[in-house]
Amino acid sequence: MLHSALINVMVKAARRAGRSLKRDLGEIENLQVSLKGPANFVTMADRRAEEMLYSDLSKARPGYGFIGEEGGSRVGDDKTHTWIVDPLDGTTNFLHGIPQFAISIGLQRESTIIAGVIYNPANEELYIAERGKGAFLNDQRLRVAGRRKLDECVIACGLPHIGRGDLELSRVEMSEIQNRVAGLRRFGAASLDMAFVAAGRLDGYWERDLQPWDLAAGQILVREAGGIVSGIEGDDEPLKSSNVICGNEFVHAELVKILKPLAK
Ligand code: 2AM
Ligand code: CA
């Protein structure tokens, strides 16, 4: 399958950083012996991957701005384009050797995400999307699932960590959704949760307290696969609200109807 030069740049960068993460994953087990070891090691792996991504992306598109989870913002001469990058989404999974983590690269033009690549080096699943050109998993065209009844749906969520977010609200949300769906899941990597919605594996997903790099690539994947993405208000932009609900138009509307009033 032929993709644009832009997508090729993003895929090449994701694969190179992915090889580095995969090598590092192999080391994690050896490091479990020391308590402090793994966490420091993961921080290193994370930073190394982000440096590779910054180096490759800025070489291919000089002047674009760069927002990364590890390095903060780097302003470029081109004020219209910004890379929004998570070098390791699903850090806790990675630290525990659970192969559900990814590199996530989004490209923003003005205020619109125009391209996204999500790559899980553990199973080599590569998700790509470009505005107006569809979403793909390893070159197979993606379409969100078509289910219209919530009680037939598998829905995923994200949960706040200790000391962050509103734990009580997350429990209320979970039990409300659990009462109405076929299955509730929590995988721990926001970008892949959205990629799974785009692929029709999950019918829907919601999470609060996310950052732009968790959301940028996933949001265009779901939209290009025919799904709806908003914040929990239902008509807001996730990159501004920092929370997300997505699914096909029916599932999205149902989730908004349940979740929106709970925060009030
Ligand atoms: P991370 O692994 O890159 O931190 C887990 O619910 C999801 O939330 C992951 O995608 C995780 O990304 C993301 N997340 C965003 N902000 C977070 C934070 N402050 N603490 C933990 N997870 C966070
Ligand atoms: Ca992340």
Side-chain angles (χ1 to χ4, degrees), residues 29-49:
E29 236 171 42
N30 306 330
L31 290 159
Q32 302 293 348
V33 284
S34 126
L35 262 183
K36 255 181 99 185
N40 290 341
F41 181 79
V42 169
T43 306
M44 296 274 298
D46 213 345
R47 290 199 182 137
R48 196 156 42 226

Side-chain angles (χ1 to χ4, degrees), residues 42-61:
V42 169
T43 306
M44 296 274 298
D46 213 345
R47 290 199 182 137
R48 196 156 42 226
E50 181 162 318
E51 274 317 303
M52 282 184 189
L53 291 164
Y54 177 70
S55 158
D56 288 0
L57 295 171
S58 60
K59 237 178 262 161
R61 293 290 184 277

Side-chain angles (χ1 to χ4, degrees), residues 142-185:
L142 298 181
R143 177 87 205 154
V144 292
R147 290 182 193 84
R148 295 180 174 207
K149 293 184 186 149
L150 213 49
D151 63 5
E152 295 172 357
C153 288
V154 174
I155 304 293
C157 65
L159 301 173
H161 296 234
I162 307 167
R164 299 198 58 108
D166 186 336
L167 292 179
E168 188 49 41
L169 175 60
S170 74
R171 284 190 276 268
V172 173
E173 287 181 341
M174 268 195 298
S175 62
E176 288 296 320
I177 299 291
Q178 190 183 17
N179 282 333
R180 293 172 162 87
V181 299
L184 181 60
R185 300 287 184 271

